[in-house]
Amino acid sequence: MDEADVVSIAELLDERRYLLDVACWMLGSAGEAECVVDEVYRRWYGLSGAARQEIARPRSWLARSTGRSCLTRLALVERSGDSAFEAGVEAGVGAEVSRVLLDALGCRSPDERARASLRVRRSGPVAPWEHDALVRAVGRACLDEDAGHLVSLLRPDVTAFFDGGGKVRASSRPVHGGRQVAHSLLTLLARRPRTALTAQSVNGRTGLVARYGRQVAAVISLDIADHRVIQVWVVLNPDKLRSWKQP
């Protein structure tokens, strides 16, 4: 179980910003820095779960990997010239644009389709007022850091999915069980300076929106069955949160 992989929103965003600052300082380009950091996170998720657990300080590992990737790119520039390097960067950007477009058009990966199918099968119709009341109760339990009350609002077979898009160090596998999901949510939404959690409309239903400073850091949707939460969907992927970051 990847419950142990869950860290606070503040740590997730501070970590990514730190890596971007390192890469931008070394390469002198915000766009190239984004490419490097995305590559480093892909390398992190390419490790087995056991290998990641053996890394005592993930942020240090990511920082070293970022530095090595930057040095590799700089060496490539020196050997082959700026034009070749720029062509490679443009190809990477093109692939990312294609991925975002496919996602927007609904061309999801098999894993995403399986999650959507599971969501449809396991969630039944719930009155809007009941959905709203339960979501707000979950939000209050998280704000109060009341693990016992939060567990009581979740079904024993609840599942939580964390969509980081490979761009932040979020849990890469679903978390199962009331106690485990409650622990993951409380860890992710842990009180830190500049953090906030509010109930807002998410895809036409009440959901939870977590902010770090002025930035939307997570959007949480809940599915309900038998008057308790059966599934939790946490979007942490910066690409999918762009529309929430408008003034």
Side-chain angles (χ1 to χ4, degrees):
M1 177 179 62
D2 277 358
E3 172 193 353
D5 289 350
V6 179
V7 297
S8 72
I9 281 174
E11 183 176 347
L12 286 180
L13 269 64
D14 282 345
E15 176 182 275
R16 182 172 174 85
R17 172 48 53 193
Y18 172 72
L19 298 178
L20 286 170
D21 287 346
V22 169
C24 192
W25 176 76
M26 294 184 70
L27 299 175
S29 165
E32 292 170 15
E34 287 273 0
C35 292
V36 166
V37 172
D38 288 349
E39 173 190 319
V40 168
Y41 276 114
R42 285 194 295 272
R43 194 175 304 156
W44 169 262
Y45 284 110
L47 301 173
S48 67
R52 290 199 299 269
Q53 289 178 0
E54 290 178 358
I55 298 174
R57 299 177 63 189
R59 180 165 170 166
S60 296
W61 186 95
L62 291 165
R64 288 194 299 271
S65 295
T66 298
R68 285 195 294 268
S69 292
C70 290
L71 291 174
T72 299
R73 286 183 172 236
L74 291 171
L76 179 62
V77 171
E78 185 176 350
R79 288 198 305 269
S80 56
D82 289 343
S83 59
F85 179 73
E86 290 173 359
V89 171
E90 288 174 2
V93 171
E96 176 61 17
V97 169
S98 297
R99 188 197 66 75
V100 173
L101 286 174
L102 286 173
D103 184 72
L105 291 171
C107 302
R108 296 181 249 181
S109 69
D111 181 56
E112 288 174 320
R113 287 196 297 270
R115 291 183 183 182
S117 175
L118 177 66
R119 182 174 186 165
V120 170
R121 289 197 308 271
R122 298 183 67 179
S123 61
V126 177
W129 66 264
E130 181 182 359
H131 183 94
D132 180 83
L134 187 53
V135 170
R136 291 178 185 276
V138 168
R140 286 193 299 272
C142 291
L143 288 172
D144 294 340
E145 299 181 328
D146 188 339
H149 183 45
L150 182 55
V151 170
S152 74
L153 300 171
L154 308 174
R155 281 184 42 150
D157 57 343
V158 63
T159 300
F161 298 95
F162 297 84
D163 176 10
K167 294 177 177 286
V168 292
R169 190 164 48 87
S171 178
S172 58
R173 293 183 180 179
V175 175
H176 303 284
R179 184 192 65 79
Q180 293 86 349
V181 169
H183 173 79
S184 296
L185 288 176
L186 291 175
T187 300
L188 180 73
L189 302 172
R191 285 185 177 180
R192 296 287 189 278
R194 302 171 58 213
T195 60
L197 181 68
T198 58
Q200 292 183 221
S201 177
V202 177
N203 297 325
R205 300 190 305 175
T206 304
L208 298 172
V209 177
R211 288 177 172 80
Y212 182 58
R214 301 172 68 97
Q215 181 177 356
V216 172
V219 174
I220 304 171
S221 300
L222 306 174
D223 289 339
I224 297 169
D226 298 329
H227 314 293
R228 287 193 285 178
V229 176
I230 182 64
Q231 289 183 41
V232 181
W233 307 80
V234 184
V235 177
L236 297 158
N237 184 343
D239 291 342
K240 294 184 179 181
L241 295 176
R242 283 175 182 165
S243 62
W244 286 86
K245 296 177 182 178
Q246 302 302 319

